[in-house]
Amino acid sequence: MAKFYSLFSGSKGNVSIVRSGKQSLLIDAGMSCKQVISAMSARDIPECSVSGILITHTHSDHIKGLRVLCKRLGTKVYATEGTMTELLRAGHITDEYFGGIFREGSLDIGDFSVRAFPTDHDAEGSCGYRIETPEERVCSVCTDLGHVTDEVHKGVKGSDLVLLESNYDPVMLKNGSYPLCLKARIAGREGHLSNINCGEEAVRLIDEGTTRLILGHLSEENNTPFLARKTVTEYLDREHKQGVDYLLYVADRTGLEKAVIF
């Protein structure tokens, strides 16, 4: 049985786990080691189950707990070349915890097969991940992207479950307190995905076989779980029926309380 856990999601920190049998993969380490271990314990995920840590990019909300987590879990880190170079250069990990670099093709990590796909975000080597479990179930993590490129869509297409960014509501962002330069960055092609763009991609994913969709990386300042769900549902329900064609979840900053089975 394959399970997906969102432990933390949002601008303050991001951590997810994919679990199958006795093995798990950790995706990002954007909270303190203590917080991550506590969240794992609350969901009965053994520390010894973690076969590897995948890092999407080097912004602090994705790596702030990485150095200590590596020591605690004793597991290795995997990333794209651009991300790994920065992790090593800045001392976020040491050579001891170097696991591997994603290039073309996939890497086998424990019993999982993992492929990285590039995302347009303002961090060198930024990527999303497509993970196949031993049961041949597929999940993808796709956040921190200013827009959905062909490579992004190809990377997530056909996944049984997708964690997809629904970062901001355009009206809230426009009328919010952020300086204009930050608003432009968020809404730019290397920034974040809006609820509207998320809804558009969600329709394509459900059309092509995805049955479980988790909205993630919501901005605490420029979005709400209600608005994210409402906007994406308005797009999906034009042609699909929730609970029949798809299941929709919204992860807030503390993630989801329970696992999503896929």
Side-chain angles (χ1 to χ4, degrees):
M1 181 183 296
K3 298 180 178 180
F4 187 93
Y5 299 81
S6 173
L7 304 187
F8 301 95
S9 185
S11 52
K12 297 293 178 62
N14 297 273
V15 187
S16 301
I17 285 183
V18 178
R19 188 176 183 189
S20 176
K22 295 183 179 180
Q23 293 195 30
S24 305
L25 286 180
L26 194 70
I27 304 102
D28 285 329
M31 300 296 282
S32 72
C33 177
K34 181 178 180 180
Q35 289 170 303
V36 174
I37 296 301
S38 177
M40 289 174 59
S41 177
R43 294 162 176 82
D44 296 319
I45 304 171
E47 296 178 37
C48 62
S49 72
V50 180
S51 301
I53 302 175
L54 313 177
I55 298 298
T56 59
H57 64 290
T58 56
H59 287 165
S60 64
D61 58 324
H62 294 261
I63 63 166
K64 69 178 69 170
L66 181 60
R67 183 176 59 82
V68 181
L69 264 172
C70 285
K71 293 181 180 179
R72 172 69 180 252
L73 299 175
T75 192
K76 296 185 183 297
V77 176
Y78 301 81
T80 63
E81 185 170 10
T83 295
M84 185 66 76
T85 298
E86 179 60 18
L87 290 175
L88 290 167
R89 184 200 67 77
H92 296 297
I93 63 169
T94 60
D95 290 341
E96 177 183 0
Y97 297 107
F98 173 86
I101 290 176
F102 291 96
R103 304 185 191 279
E104 292 185 9
S106 59
L107 288 178
D108 292 331
I109 306 172
D111 291 335
F112 300 92
S113 178
V114 185
R115 183 185 296 267
F117 54 87
T119 54
D120 276 4
H121 192 54
D122 52 3
E124 184 67 28
S126 179
C127 74
Y129 289 108
R130 182 185 183 94
I131 302 165
E132 183 173 347
T133 73
E135 303 93 341
E136 298 184 349
R137 305 297 287 174
V138 178
C139 68
S140 294
V141 174
C142 185
T143 66
D144 296 79
L145 60 157
H147 64 292
V148 178
T149 64
D150 289 342
E151 287 180 294
V152 166
H153 182 70
K154 181 180 178 181
V156 299
K157 179 180 178 180
S159 299
D160 299 291
L161 177 150
V162 178
L163 171 64
L164 183 64
E165 180 171 49
S166 193
N167 181 257
Y168 68 93
D169 173 76
V171 175
M172 286 188 69
L173 178 65
K174 180 180 178 180
N175 296 329
S177 61
Y178 283 1
L180 289 177
C181 59
L182 181 54
K183 292 179 180 181
R185 173 190 171 268
I186 291 170
R189 290 181 67 80
E190 294 185 347
H192 292 280
L193 207 64
S194 72
N195 294 342
I196 293 171
N197 296 142
C198 177
E200 293 169 344
E201 178 62 10
V203 171
R204 296 175 71 191
L205 292 176
I206 303 304
D207 283 345
E208 294 165 346
T210 295
T211 57
R212 287 145 176 84
L213 190 66
I214 303 173
L215 309 185
H217 211 294
L218 276 66
S219 168
E220 292 183 29
E221 299 291 333
N222 302 304
N223 207 357
T224 67
F226 172 81
L227 275 175
R229 179 185 292 275
K230 179 177 182 292
T231 302
V232 174
T233 299
E234 286 174 351
Y235 276 87
L236 287 172
D237 284 358
R238 294 170 186 172
E239 298 182 15
H240 301 283
K241 187 173 182 180
Q242 191 169 171
V244 177
D245 300 319
Y246 70 95
L247 299 175
L248 181 66
Y249 307 84
V250 182
D252 62 16
R253 62 185 181 85
T254 57
L256 297 173
E257 184 178 348
K258 297 181 179 180
V260 178
I261 298 171
F262 66 98

